[in-house]
Amino acid sequence: MSFPEGFLWGGATAANQCEGAWDIDGRGPAESDVLTAGSVTSPRLVTYRMPDGTTGAAPRWKGAPDGAHREVLEGYRYPNHEAIDFYHHYKDDIALFAEMGFKQYRMSISWSRIFPTGMEETPNRAGLDFYRNVFLELEKYGIEPLVTMWHFDTPLHLEEELGGWQNREILPYWDRYVRTILEEYRGLVRNWLTINEINNTIQFLGAHKPATDEDYQRAYQHLHHQFLASAHAVKMAHEISDDYRVGCMICGVPHYPLTCDPADVMLAQRQMERCVLYCGDVQAKGKYPVYAQRLWNEHGVHLQTEPEDARTLAEGTVDFYTFSYYMTTCDTTHEVKETAGGNMSFGAKNPYLEYSDWGWAFDSLGLRYYLEMVYDRYEKPIMVVENGLGAFDTVEEDGSIHDPYRIDYMRAHIEEMGKAIDEGVNLIGYTSWGCIDLISAGTGEMRKRYGFIHVDLDDEGNGTLARSKKDSFHWYKQVIESNGTDLT
Ligand code: BG6
């Protein structure tokens, strides 16, 4: 049997993509609240107001113009505001997770529910109580929470006042938030993740438009502050409770060379370092890797650091390594005939793979490749905390939803996880992404569905929000019941 006893099967969501209730019970706006909906071909927009009062919307990758303040405006639809209203449905949703047999549920805390602007001296009690109730509900069913401290939703006020992660002054506010939740949920939570897909800042830089040296300077500085934030969180967690274990969270996209031209092989290795390994190396090893200096030199980056930073990083290494896995990508120095396309998917098209409707490559073997590589590198327990297929689903007249494509996708990935375990990888958990349909982070769509549980909600915000079970619900239940031995 590949999967060890106690393997943490489950599912994953993020506050901003499922909770809704964006302005209820004292919650302040977050950066995800000023994003409109897009699609696979059109970007999400960020809405803003200029100092002279004029308003506008710009592609998210471009950002608001200089001098603008991001703001929620009349006349735009913001899908994260209501999302699937987990805030008011959490009891029913958790009951469904329990019915599937979840051992673990990955979720995140919305920082602006706890500190509405990020700058208050005291936390918002209603926000703290909401998560306490969620944890108590999970406890009722013996489901372990795995809690992400930051999942794409810095309080908007901190973004606007300080410039967000760009500014080192964010750290004391972060520390206050983290200390508050670590103290509040002692005894209810054991496992934490610091920053979701921390490497996105660097891996998507230059994907939409060529990046300047100044962009690189900003990106590496932003990451330096997040590394410190993550290290602070690890240290605080260990001081506050012996039970606490803290992990990093990396967007795990392996880079393959498109051809066996050594120049392609070298390029893929360098892309892998920059886009993926850079962050995990700092968080798992507690120092910048040797190749970091080369990456900075390439763009004339001068990291602004304080003398104590090296020690902070060394003392804040994570206890375990986690990552999301959806696809692989190809790099080449040659002219590219076909690109992968799609949202958040770039590079040359791999002729050996098939692609989803959103342009993401199906590559279950790539999951094993990645697992074996990072386990060899860090030798820390690993969890796959996101994986799944975003697809169109059809609700039949009788209400049933047949999603064999999702089952096939997951079966193939779970098989590869089993093989990695057989190879000696200490894989301890798996939480599939969007175990209940939610708002897509990349496109803001609802129709890009990942769930075992369908939510009656469309891209225009219409629907009853009723939950129903897809075929994959019953399949995943059986996978968990058999501890991964029955994947039929
Ligand atoms: C990861 C994020 O990028 O992938 C999630 O951590 C996100 O927040 C998931 O939802 C899938 O991406 P998308 O764009 O399909 O929602």
Side-chain angles (χ1 to χ4, degrees):
M1 166 138 42
S2 302
F3 292 92
E5 213 179 302
F7 187 78
L8 293 164
W9 296 100
T13 62
N16 76 92
Q17 293 170 253
C18 73
E19 282 176 11
W22 75 290
D23 60 353
I24 287 183
D25 292 341
R27 182 183 179 277
E31 59 178 332
S32 44
D33 291 317
V34 288
L35 291 176
T36 67
S39 70
V40 66
T41 47
S42 58
R44 300 188 76 175
L45 304 177
V46 55
T47 56
Y48 60 83
R49 184 181 299 275
M50 298 300 288
D52 66 2
T54 54
T55 58
R60 173 165 55 163
W61 55 264
K62 201 165 173 197
D66 286 347
H69 277 283
R70 282 169 280 178
E71 201 179 294
V72 174
L73 299 174
E74 288 290 317
Y76 290 91
R77 208 178 83 70
Y78 300 95
N80 299 63
H81 285 192
E82 271 80 37
I84 59 159
D85 197 26
F86 178 78
Y87 194 78
H88 296 109
H89 291 74
Y90 73 89
K91 287 194 179 173
D92 294 341
D93 294 344
I94 290 171
L96 287 167
F97 301 158
E99 192 181 328
M100 275 186 278
F102 279 19
K103 312 288 179 221
Q104 171 168 262
Y105 170 51
R106 176 179 176 228
M107 52 179 278
S108 72
I109 291 181
S110 158
W111 184 350
S112 64
R113 218 179 264 298
I114 310 300
F115 289 96
T117 65
M119 289 181 159
E120 291 80 0
E121 296 279 332
T122 50
N124 171 28
R125 183 35 60 191
L128 288 173
D129 287 347
F130 169 67
Y131 294 107
R132 170 170 294 277
N133 291 335
V134 171
F135 298 143
L136 287 170
E137 198 66 20
L138 290 168
E139 192 176 59
K140 211 164 99 181
Y141 297 102
I143 301 174
E144 285 257 7
L146 170 63
V147 183
T148 317
M149 297 170 173
W150 182 90
H151 196 126
F152 304 157
D153 56 358
T154 313
L156 190 60
H157 187 79
L158 280 186
E159 283 284 327
E160 293 301 318
E161 286 297 306
L162 296 181
W165 292 104
Q166 202 52 54
N167 188 343
R168 191 177 175 113
E169 282 176 33
I170 197 173
L171 290 175
Y173 300 109
W174 163 265
D175 289 352
R176 186 186 294 159
Y177 159 62
V178 170
R179 181 169 292 284
T180 302
I181 56 176
L182 288 172
E183 282 175 350
E184 178 76 22
Y185 302 124
R186 206 175 356 201
L188 285 171
V189 176
R190 281 192 316 144
N191 294 326
W192 298 87
L193 302 179
T194 57
I195 313 256
N196 184 65
E197 291 192 340
I198 188 169
N199 53 319
N200 282 357
T201 300
I202 192 69
Q203 79 163 333
F204 294 130
L205 190 66
H208 296 279
K209 61 168 177 131
T212 63
D213 284 354
E214 199 190 327
D215 293 331
Y216 278 96
Q217 174 71 42
R218 289 171 62 82
Y220 284 117
Q221 196 63 49
H222 169 125
L223 283 175
H224 183 65
H225 298 150
Q226 290 195 325
F227 293 148
L228 294 173
S230 177
H232 288 184
V234 174
K235 254 192 110 177
M236 278 189 268
H238 291 165
E239 279 159 17
I240 290 170
S241 170
D242 289 343
D243 282 344
Y244 281 158
R245 296 284 174 274
V246 188
C248 57
M249 198 306 197
I250 305 292
C251 179
V253 179
H255 283 251
Y256 297 157
L258 185 68
T259 73
C260 53
D261 178 347
D264 278 10
V265 176
M266 182 60 110
L267 177 67
Q269 179 184 307
R270 300 212 148 173
Q271 286 289 77
M272 188 75 179
E273 286 171 349
R274 177 176 74 89
C275 298
V276 182
L277 298 173
Y278 178 81
C279 294
D281 283 357
V282 177
Q283 292 182 289
K285 294 180 172 180
K287 60 184 171 69
Y288 279 103
V290 172
Y291 59 82
Q293 191 60 54
R294 167 172 45 80
L295 292 177
W296 300 331
N297 289 348
E298 280 169 6
H299 298 284
V301 170
H302 294 285
L303 218 53
Q304 277 158 24
T305 59
E306 298 292 338
E308 70 272 17
D309 291 358
R311 189 157 159 214
T312 302
L313 297 180
E315 290 177 354
T317 56
V318 291
D319 302 309
F320 59 99
Y321 179 98
T322 83
F323 66 103
S324 58
Y325 181 82
Y326 295 95
M327 63 185 125
T328 50
T329 189
C330 291
D331 301 299
T332 183
T333 55
H334 299 271
E335 201 187 324
V336 175
K337 288 203 189 75
E338 247 190 310
T339 53
N343 78 298
M344 301 200 300
S345 155
F346 305 96
K349 195 157 193 171
N350 187 329
Y352 299 97
L353 299 177
E354 292 188 0
Y355 286 75
S356 80
D357 290 326
W358 277 264
W360 294 18
F362 294 112
D363 186 2
S364 53
L365 188 57
L367 175 55
R368 175 145 62 102
Y369 170 81
Y370 190 88
L371 277 167
E372 293 181 8
M373 177 191 60
V374 289
Y375 190 62
D376 277 350
R377 198 171 183 101
Y378 306 122
E379 294 191 22
K380 293 190 187 244
I382 302 188
M383 287 193 218
V384 178
V385 295
E386 284 187 31
N387 171 240
L389 178 66
F392 297 106
D393 288 333
T394 307
V395 183
E396 305 296 338
E397 271 184 20
D398 64 356
S400 57
I401 297 151
H402 306 301
D403 55 348
Y405 36 87
R406 183 166 292 110
I407 294 172
D408 289 347
Y409 178 100
M410 295 195 61
R411 179 188 298 114
H413 287 77
I414 291 172
E415 274 170 4
E416 294 302 331
M417 292 192 317
K419 290 181 196 160
I421 292 171
D422 295 340
E423 291 285 335
V425 174
N426 187 13
L427 178 64
I428 58 172
Y430 174 75
T431 52
S432 73
W433 177 249
C435 45
I436 178 164
D437 292 345
L438 38 62
I439 303 295
S440 157
T443 66
E445 290 168 297
M446 193 58 212
R447 63 186 182 157
K448 188 180 188 190
R449 295 175 184 272
Y450 287 87
F452 305 117
I453 301 165
H454 179 268
V455 178
D456 180 26
L457 181 68
D458 69 15
D459 279 338
E460 278 66 54
N462 304 311
T464 61
L465 293 178
R467 279 54 171 157
S468 54
K469 301 170 192 171
K470 304 181 193 177
D471 287 356
S472 56
F473 180 101
H474 306 286
W475 177 81
Y476 196 48
K477 181 173 192 283
Q478 154 203 310
V479 171
I480 298 178
E481 235 162 39
S482 67
N483 199 25
T485 54
D486 186 356
L487 302 177
T488 51

